[in-house]
Amino acid sequence: MVIGVAIIDFYIQDALSLKEKRHYVRSIKDKLVSNFKISVSEIDFHDSWQRSRIGVAVIGKDKEGVNQVLSSVVKFSQKNWPDILLDISLEFLNL
């Protein structure tokens, strides 16, 4: 079994309050969940108005399948949020 994690950092310069930022983050999370069979959570910068770090988790039987899903998530994120996307990193854990 393989667990794959994508850490996605966003800088939302249009957000002028935590309420506005949460609106953006909720929209991003909802789009990711509706397009992929993944778990998504905001994992850092909870009290920052313009920064957000989202964690995406995928579990599968082999690294190839997990990597394929995470690569699709990365491409989707780069296509849909290029102006607010700061960084993406991937990690894998074999169990």
Side-chain angles (χ1 to χ4, degrees):
M1 177 170 64
V2 176
I3 300 170
V5 176
I7 307 297
I8 308 172
D9 287 335
F10 294 97
Y11 179 74
I12 308 165
Q13 70 182 49
D14 292 341
L16 301 176
S17 68
L18 285 174
K19 185 176 180 179
E20 286 182 19
K21 179 194 116 170
R22 288 186 182 120
H23 173 76
Y24 277 96
V25 171
R26 188 177 318 111
S27 174
I28 291 168
K29 288 170 41 179
D30 289 348
K31 286 178 184 174
L32 289 172
V33 169
S34 70
N35 283 285
F36 304 98
K37 294 181 179 178
I38 57 175
S39 295
V40 180
S41 180
E42 184 177 15
I43 58 173
D44 203 356
F45 304 112
H46 298 283
D47 294 327
S48 173
W49 289 4
Q50 296 179 318
R51 289 288 310 271
S52 181
R53 179 170 288 155
I54 292 175
V56 174
V58 180
I59 298 175
K61 63 182 177 178
D62 59 29
K63 185 176 178 181
E64 182 179 318
V66 171
N67 189 40
Q68 183 177 5
V69 173
L70 288 179
S71 294
S72 296
V73 169
V74 168
K75 289 177 187 173
F76 183 84
S77 298
Q78 290 170 332
K79 177 183 175 189
N80 286 283
W81 306 292
D83 53 337
I84 63 171
L85 187 63
L86 284 181
D87 187 42
I88 300 175
S89 63
L90 302 179
E91 297 179 23
F92 298 92
L93 175 64
N94 292 308
L95 298 178

